Amino acid sequence: QVQLAESGGGVVQSGRSLRLSCVVSGFTFSSYGMHWVRQAPGKGLEWVTFIWFDGSKQYYAESVKGRFTVSRDDSKNTLYLQMDGLRAEDTAVYYCARGRLARSHFDYWGQGTLVTVSS
Amino acid sequence: EIVMTQSPATLSVSPGERLTLSCRASQSVSINLAWYQQKPGQAPRLLIYGASTRATGIPDRFSGSGSGTEFTLTISSLQSEDFGVYYCQQFNSWPPWTFGQGTKVEIK
């Protein structure tokens, strides 16, 4: 069955960096686009970034553009989110989610990993 | 950016009742709309995509309708396990992919 598992969250000081990972199984990773979505404590869902199935294109929310970088390693079935210059407002649970195409719903989600940015 | 607006913010409903949640898009998204359910401490779960197609394993008491800018999610007979927050999301025009602010469903 399809599974997505995030890791790498934790407490980090403002201005520092963190890298999240999302290991997937149960499907052909290289055939799917992938998203990161975050949820601040007690708030709604906010899309963060999307990477095409072949890694050729990436899109970012304005709130993270220039600070976050999405990448993928198909040989490891792993999606990454490099987060630099972290701010207090980046504190959230970060979910990876599968979206076959850009114009697709998000059909499977990981359980999330919590990132807390302290000032 | 397409803004998604959901109403109401909160609903308190008794088991067995029919429930209708609304979602409005600031411009047409055709039928490129999904609904998700999220329970406390859990990841969102896909319920409906393409405005009206139930995802795998979703009970038929859940149904979606609409196109363009107006959408609804209906739960025909609310069960106790249906509590949580429901989000609509458009994937017609991107980036960004945008979510509504959510409707919280409470069980009376």
Side-chain angles (χ1 to χ4, degrees):
Chain A
Q1 70 278 25
V2 173
Q3 291 186 321
L4 295 82
E6 303 92 338
S7 61
V11 180
V12 60
Q13 286 187 324
S14 179
R16 304 297 289 266
S17 298
L18 204 60
R19 189 177 81 158
L20 306 183
S21 300
C22 169
V23 177
V24 311
S25 60
F27 65 99
T28 303
F29 181 56
S30 59
S31 295
Y32 285 82
M34 296 293 296
H35 297 267
W36 287 98
V37 177
R38 68 184 180 183
Q39 186 170 37
K43 303 298 184 182
L45 301 170
E46 179 191 17
W47 170 79
V48 175
T49 182
F50 174 73
I51 185 168
W52 280 50
F53 70 98
D54 59 0
S56 61
K57 295 182 183 179
Q58 305 87 34
Y59 301 97
Y60 298 92
E62 286 298 324
S63 57
V64 306
K65 195 174 290 185
R67 299 188 299 123
F68 288 14
T69 304
V70 62
S71 62
R72 61 191 299 155
D73 185 339
D74 291 350
S75 69
K76 296 182 178 179
N77 280 358
T78 303
L79 175 73
Y80 300 101
L81 183 63
Q82 177 67 40
M83 304 185 293
D84 299 322
L86 283 162
R87 306 167 180 168
E89 56 265 34
D90 295 319
T91 294
V93 174
Y94 285 74
Y95 298 99
C96 58
R98 191 179 82 166
R100 187 181 186 102
L101 303 171
R103 186 164 285 161
S104 292
H105 49 282
F106 301 3
D107 58 357
Y108 288 93
W109 299 61
Q111 83 289 349
T113 187
L114 176 61
V115 173
T116 303
V117 183
S118 64
S119 52
Chain B
E1 173 176 334
I2 296 179
V3 177
M4 307 301 292
T5 303
Q6 292 184 241
S7 61
T10 305
L11 275 172
S12 185
V13 187
S14 298
E17 287 188 21
R18 182 184 181 89
L19 184 61
T20 300
L21 284 63
S22 295
C23 175
R24 174 176 293 177
S26 60
Q27 59 186 274
S28 177
V29 299
S30 185
I31 59 169
N32 295 310
L33 181 114
W35 290 93
Y36 303 89
Q37 176 196 61
Q38 186 179 35
K39 296 184 179 182
Q42 296 185 17
R45 176 177 71 147
L46 176 68
L47 296 176
I48 301 285
Y49 63 92
S52 62
T53 302
R54 275 189 302 277
T56 303
I58 301 303
D60 60 6
R61 65 180 181 272
F62 291 91
S63 63
S65 64
S67 65
T69 62
E70 299 286 342
F71 301 88
T72 59
L73 174 69
T74 300
I75 308 175
S76 61
S77 178
L78 192 74
Q79 305 297 304
S80 58
E81 62 265 30
D82 297 336
F83 74 92
V85 181
Y86 290 79
Y87 295 94
C88 62
Q89 178 228 357
Q90 70 83 21
F91 48 92
N92 188 68
S93 299
W94 37 264
W97 289 254
T98 50
F99 295 87
Q101 79 280 17
T103 292
K104 185 176 183 180
V105 174
E106 299 176 334
I107 307 296
K108 275 186 183 177

